[in-house]
Every structure is written in C-alpha cells, then in structure tokens.
C-alpha cells in the first residue's frame, strides 16, 4: 500500500516549457487535490476533483490544467511554465467528497522554472 | 477576507515541556479544524480533527482545543521529545465548502 505517489520528485524547466505532474493513490479515495506550497504562503489549493469525472478550480488555478484520468490518477499540467510557478507541488486524496475527513499527501514535486 | 494565522516564528522548547501552538482565524465560520505535521522535504501528515461543537480532543500526547468565540485553536504536545520537532499546520473546513484552507504553519524545535 503505497498511499499517494507523485512523479517526478524534482524538475527544472525553462520559461515557456510544458510539463505534466503525475499523481496516483491506491486507497480507493473519491477525492483528489493539487496544492502548491511557497515560503510564507502556506499550502494553496490549485484544483481538486471531488469524484471521478469532475474537476473544480481552487484558490490559484491560473496557468494550470488538470485531468482526473480515473479514480486512481489525477494529473496537473503546466502548459507554458513561468518563474512564478516555481514551487513545491503536493497531491492529496481523501475518502469523502466533503473532505472533512483527513487528507493524505504525497511526497511532493519540487519544480524550478528558470 | 478570510485569514488564518499561525505564529511564523519558530517555537523552541526543552524536552519534557509542553509545547503550545496557536491557530487564529478571521472572517471564517469553520465546521471543522484539522492539524497536520510536516517534516522537511515531506508532505503533511494528518494528526487530529476537531468539530465546531467539540471543545477539546485528545490523542496520546496531543491535545487540541477549539474556541469558536475566540476564533482560535490551541495545539498542545505534552512531554515533548526531539522527535516532535517539525512544522505544524492548521487547516479549516467551512460549513458550506468542501475545501480545506491551510495556515502557514509554525515550526517547533524541541531540544535536549
């Protein structure tokens, strides 16, 4: 039982390049989330998926797109990376759509955009 | 606007003492409040959840209080150990929302 896994662990991009961050969970959770964490800003929600087939914007969605590929997988895409997207990205999942239950986090992807 | 405040300065305490961390919020009516632990280079790990109608919750050496009048939660670690050194995040869930809003976290350092 691996929990929540994320790939890659580290990535360096040049401005304008695109990439997809992958996330998978093996806990049969309905809901999945993408956050970014910046110094002094805390965790901020980018997008979330309350259930398979649905996605919704969070607090900071601009410059990102997501795909809930199936119940296990939730990917985050940067179409044209900008230096302001340098951050640590975390994927999380929870058992209930309302997420009043605990969220389980992956180990994070450290992204640098030059 | 909604705001969650945690002390950005690190809290340094001696082993064996009780650590108390504070989470204050404004313009918010959370139905639930959660506390997470985050170690360097890792994702947050859930510790405790407390509901708005609960005053106190305990789990082993951890205790959380929730005062909706003061708009404050206190997180206590009794008999603290160096292994408790980490950043602790509070997160709020509003009554009509399904998303968590996180505070910036407080770093706890427990020394021998």
């Amino acid at each position: 039982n691996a929990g929540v896994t994320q790939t890659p662990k580290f990535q360096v991009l040049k401005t304008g390049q695109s990439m997809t961050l992958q996330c998978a969970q093996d806990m049969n959770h309905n809901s999945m989330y993408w956050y970014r964490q910046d110094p002094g800003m805390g965790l901020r929600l980018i997008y979330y998926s309350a259930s398979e087939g649905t996605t919704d914007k969070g607090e900071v969605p601009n410059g990102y797109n997501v795909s809930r590929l199936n119940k296990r997988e939730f990917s985050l895409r940067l179409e044209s990376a900008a230096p302001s997207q340098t951050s640590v990205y975390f994927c999380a999942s929870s058992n209930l759509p309302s997420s009043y239950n605990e969220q389980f986090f992956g180990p994070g992807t450290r992204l640098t955009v030059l | 606007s909604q705001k969650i405040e945690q002390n950005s300065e690190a809290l340094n305490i001696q082993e064996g003492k009780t650590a108390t961390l504070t989470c204050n919020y404004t313009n918010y009516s959370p139905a639930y409040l959660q506390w997470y632990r985050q170690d360097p280079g890792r994702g947050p790990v859930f510790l405790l959840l407390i509901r708005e109608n609960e005053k106190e919750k305990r789990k082993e050496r951890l205790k959380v209080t929730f005062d909706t009048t003061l708009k404050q939660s206190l997180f206590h670690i009794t008999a603290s150990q160096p292994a408790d050194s980490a950043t602790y995040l509070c997160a709020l869930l509003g009554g009509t929302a399904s998303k968590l809003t996180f505070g910036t976290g407080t770093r706890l350092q427990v020394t021998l």
Side-chain angles (χ1 to χ4, degrees):
Chain A
N1 191 340
V4 179
T5 57
Q6 292 183 235
T7 55
K9 285 187 167 48
F10 300 93
Q11 184 71 51
V12 178
L13 294 178
K14 294 181 180 177
T15 296
Q17 287 185 318
S18 62
M19 79 161 295
T20 299
L21 283 65
Q22 306 286 354
C23 173
Q25 52 92 9
D26 61 3
M27 295 172 283
N28 201 36
H29 285 171
N30 291 321
S31 303
M32 298 184 74
Y33 313 83
W34 275 107
Y35 294 90
R36 60 177 290 174
Q37 187 173 39
D38 303 291
M41 299 292 291
L43 282 161
R44 291 182 292 169
L45 184 64
I46 305 171
Y47 269 94
Y48 69 104
S49 172
S51 61
E52 186 179 354
T54 68
T55 61
D56 284 289
K57 294 178 180 179
E59 182 185 352
V60 288
N62 291 345
Y64 306 94
N65 285 302
V66 291
S67 295
R68 184 72 183 268
L69 305 170
N70 48 55
K71 192 170 186 179
R72 289 186 65 248
E73 298 172 291
F74 189 36
S75 62
L76 179 72
R77 181 159 178 85
L78 286 71
E79 290 290 352
S80 179
S84 61
Q85 294 179 305
T86 293
S87 187
V88 181
Y89 291 85
F90 289 101
C91 177
S93 69
S94 69
N95 201 24
L96 299 169
S98 65
S99 88
Y100 65 78
N101 210 330
E102 60 188 284
Q103 291 193 7
F104 293 81
F105 284 81
T109 294
R110 283 142 190 83
L111 174 67
T112 301
V113 183
L114 302 174
Chain B
S1 62
Q2 296 174 339
K3 197 170 180 182
I4 302 170
E5 290 185 336
Q6 293 185 258
N7 196 341
S8 58
E9 289 184 15
L11 176 64
N12 293 294
I13 65 165
Q14 204 171 20
E15 183 181 19
K17 303 290 186 185
T18 296
T20 299
L21 286 70
T22 305
C23 176
N24 295 302
Y25 58 91
T26 55
N27 297 324
Y28 220 118
S29 296
Y32 307 91
L33 187 146
Q34 301 181 358
W35 283 89
Y36 288 77
R37 169 183 172 140
Q38 186 173 22
D39 291 286
R42 294 180 175 264
V45 175
F46 173 82
L47 295 175
L48 279 170
L49 177 151
I50 186 167
R51 293 174 173 80
E52 63 180 338
N53 60 353
E54 297 176 317
K55 296 293 184 189
E56 183 179 297
K57 201 79 167 281
R58 291 176 186 261
K59 179 182 177 183
E60 297 172 351
R61 293 184 296 112
L62 308 179
K63 185 179 85 172
V64 173
T65 62
F66 193 9
D67 189 326
T68 54
T69 302
L70 290 179
K71 295 186 182 297
Q72 180 181 79
S73 175
L74 298 179
F75 177 80
H76 306 273
I77 306 176
T78 58
S80 59
Q81 305 165 0
D84 296 325
S85 299
T87 296
Y88 292 86
L89 311 172
C90 71
L92 304 181
L93 178 70
T96 57
S98 61
K99 303 183 289 294
L100 286 176
T101 301
F102 283 85
T104 54
T106 298
R107 190 165 67 86
L108 172 66
Q109 185 71 40
V110 182
T111 55
L112 294 171

